[in-house]
Amino acid sequence: MKKVEEDELSMHKIEDYNNNESKSKRNTVKLVILIGLLIGIIYTVFKYNYSEVNDYIGTKENPGIDTTKR
C-alpha cells in the first residue's frame, strides 16, 4: 500500500515552486506585467488629454451662470 503523503499534492512536488521556474516562464510573466502597465499608461494619457468635460449649465434662452470676467 502507498502512503497517504505520496498521493497528496504539496508545493514541493510542483516543478515551478521555490525559484525553480524556467527562464521562459519568468520572461512571460514579466512581459504580461509590462504589457498591462503599458496599456494602463496609454489609457490614462488618453483619458486625461482627450476627455472634455462640459460644465456649461443652461441654454441659449436661459444662459445659466455668467462666467465672463468683468
Side-chain angles (χ1 to χ4, degrees):
M1 257 182 117
K2 290 200 282 188
K3 291 183 180 180
V4 175
E5 290 96 19
E6 291 176 7
D7 289 337
E8 290 188 21
L9 293 176
S10 80
M11 295 297 284
H12 298 287
K13 291 180 182 178
I14 298 173
E15 66 185 37
D16 292 342
Y17 180 70
N18 205 10
N19 288 331
N20 292 329
E21 58 272 349
S22 67
K23 191 170 185 169
S24 65
K25 286 184 182 181
R26 283 186 188 180
N27 290 339
T28 302
V29 170
K30 289 177 185 177
L31 183 66
V32 168
I33 292 171
L34 183 66
I35 289 173
L37 288 173
L38 286 174
I39 289 171
I41 290 170
I42 291 170
Y43 173 76
T44 303
V45 167
F46 276 102
K47 181 178 178 186
Y48 285 109
N49 288 333
Y50 296 108
S51 66
E52 196 171 304
V53 179
N54 188 1
D55 287 339
Y56 180 72
I57 300 173
T59 61
K60 289 183 181 179
E61 295 82 25
N62 274 335
I65 301 170
D66 185 15
T67 59
T68 59
K69 292 185 179 182
R70 296 176 192 219

